[in-house]
Amino acid sequence: MRRLKLAVLISGRGSNMEALLNAAAADPDFPAQPVLVLSNRPEAAGLKIAEAAGVAAVSIDHKTYGKDREAFEFHVDATLRGANVEVIALAGFMRVLTPWFVKRWEGRMINIHPSLLPKHKGLDTHQRAIDAGDAEAGCSVHWVSAGVDEGEIIAQARVPILTGDTADSLAARTLPEEHRLYPEALKIACKKILEDMTDG
Ligand code: GAR
């Protein structure tokens, strides 16, 4: 099976990125081959994980570009294209992308978000789920579209919210579900991209 060249964009810890790399390494039929891990923060711990796994790891520090988001993204885009990337997985990448970048990678870029979208878009998702009195929380993988956390949902996983939960305890219950869900959702996304390529 053809494997799409995958870039994973991170900003920090990189545990979801690691789950994707592990899934791709464990299964010869996994439809994506990680070729690049890119962080907007040079100090991101995930970069070392990628290097240890033998995947090219680069940082492009967004701070260097000040308020010029497009100049930052132009550099990111050129780096991705230089590595012949075909699909992007955002994994804890904490920069909002401009419509220009989103349009350029439309149908080729997915994101994982720690809530049951459309609930709790944006930040502080676990605290907001608790404060709202929700009975359950979870995570969603979705196609990236112009609106933040608004693209079509590919897959979701649910966890209960328990009495006494804090944002940290809920995050800890959700994270293993993220690690399970993201590789499965990436498979679905790659299948769709490959079908679209074949259709022409
Ligand atoms: C994950 O929980 C991910 O869902 C979340 O950041 C964490 C990154 O952890 N993403 C967002 O909040 C995006 N809006 P990781 O670096 O260990 O994968």
Side-chain angles (χ1 to χ4, degrees):
M1 115 108 69
R2 164 134 152 59
R3 302 184 105 194
L4 293 172
K5 291 191 173 62
L6 168 71
V8 189
L9 269 52
I10 64 169
S11 296
R13 182 176 57 182
S15 70
N16 277 288
M17 174 272 297
E18 187 174 21
L20 295 177
L21 265 47
N22 287 343
D27 177 5
D29 288 330
F30 197 81
Q33 174 200 354
V35 296
L36 184 69
V37 170
L38 190 153
S39 172
N40 65 307
R41 294 185 187 279
E43 70 280 10
L47 290 170
K48 295 216 164 45
I49 297 173
E51 277 167 16
V55 177
V58 300
S59 68
I60 298 178
D61 188 349
H62 68 273
K63 290 198 209 81
T64 316
Y65 296 87
K67 287 197 167 66
D68 193 347
R69 281 182 186 268
E70 287 204 359
F72 162 71
E73 291 179 0
F74 195 77
H75 190 176
V76 172
D77 183 65
T79 306
L80 295 166
R81 289 182 189 269
N84 297 313
V85 166
E86 297 172 294
V87 57
I88 299 174
L90 305 180
F93 183 71
M94 304 308 272
R95 294 293 292 168
V96 172
L97 295 162
T98 68
W100 173 78
F101 190 91
V102 171
K103 180 87 191 146
R104 204 155 161 76
W105 289 93
E106 196 174 17
R108 298 285 186 126
M109 179 160 59
I110 66 175
N111 179 45
I112 187 157
H113 182 75
S115 81
L116 292 174
L117 291 172
K119 281 190 165 182
H120 312 309
K121 296 168 187 167
L123 300 174
D124 298 325
T125 53
H126 299 301
Q127 190 59 53
R128 284 161 54 214
I130 293 167
D131 292 347
D134 294 352
E136 56 181 8
C139 48
S140 309
V141 178
H142 63 95
W143 294 99
V144 177
S145 66
V148 174
D149 301 326
E150 282 190 350
E152 189 190 333
I153 292 166
I154 300 168
Q156 290 184 313
R158 295 166 184 275
V159 298
I161 298 181
L162 305 178
T163 308
D165 257 340
T166 62
D168 284 349
S169 66
L170 184 53
R173 191 174 309 121
T174 308
L175 195 62
E177 291 302 313
E178 295 191 39
H179 297 162
R180 189 186 57 74
L181 184 72
Y182 210 0
E184 289 309 312
L186 177 59
K187 274 194 207 173
I188 296 169
C190 287
K191 192 159 172 275
K192 168 87 169 56
I193 293 169
L194 286 163
E195 279 168 10
D196 289 352
M197 280 175 161
T198 315
D199 292 348

